Amino acid sequence: MDQQIDIGIQPDDQPYEVTSFAKKHGLPIPVADAVLFARGPSPSRIACDTAALALICAVAQYARKAAR
């Protein structure tokens, strides 16, 4: 008997759904959609997570510079 239990973890080769990606990274839906679109037609989750982190870091750096 081979049973599998789904605990909500998706394999890396499955593309993100926009709303779950947006919630994970705290991004507005349009921004999350743009990040996913920029990564190509079937990006890996790791590539998308890296792109979101890079965007968040770039926005934070810009905000620090603008505050000076």
Side-chain angles (χ1 to χ4, degrees):
M1 183 183 322
D2 190 4
Q3 294 181 356
Q4 293 182 334
I5 299 173
D6 180 18
I7 57 173
I9 298 173
Q10 297 294 322
D12 185 50
D13 62 346
Q14 295 297 313
Y16 270 115
E17 194 272 323
V18 176
T19 55
S20 64
F21 180 74
K23 284 182 184 179
K24 179 177 181 178
H25 294 288
L27 300 171
I29 298 290
V31 174
D33 191 36
V35 171
L36 293 174
F37 177 79
R39 294 306 309 153
S42 64
S44 73
R45 287 175 174 253
I46 293 171
C48 292
D49 290 338
T50 303
L53 180 59
L55 174 67
I56 291 166
C57 289
V59 168
Q61 185 176 16
Y62 177 80
R64 280 193 303 270
K65 286 183 180 180
R68 291 183 190 168

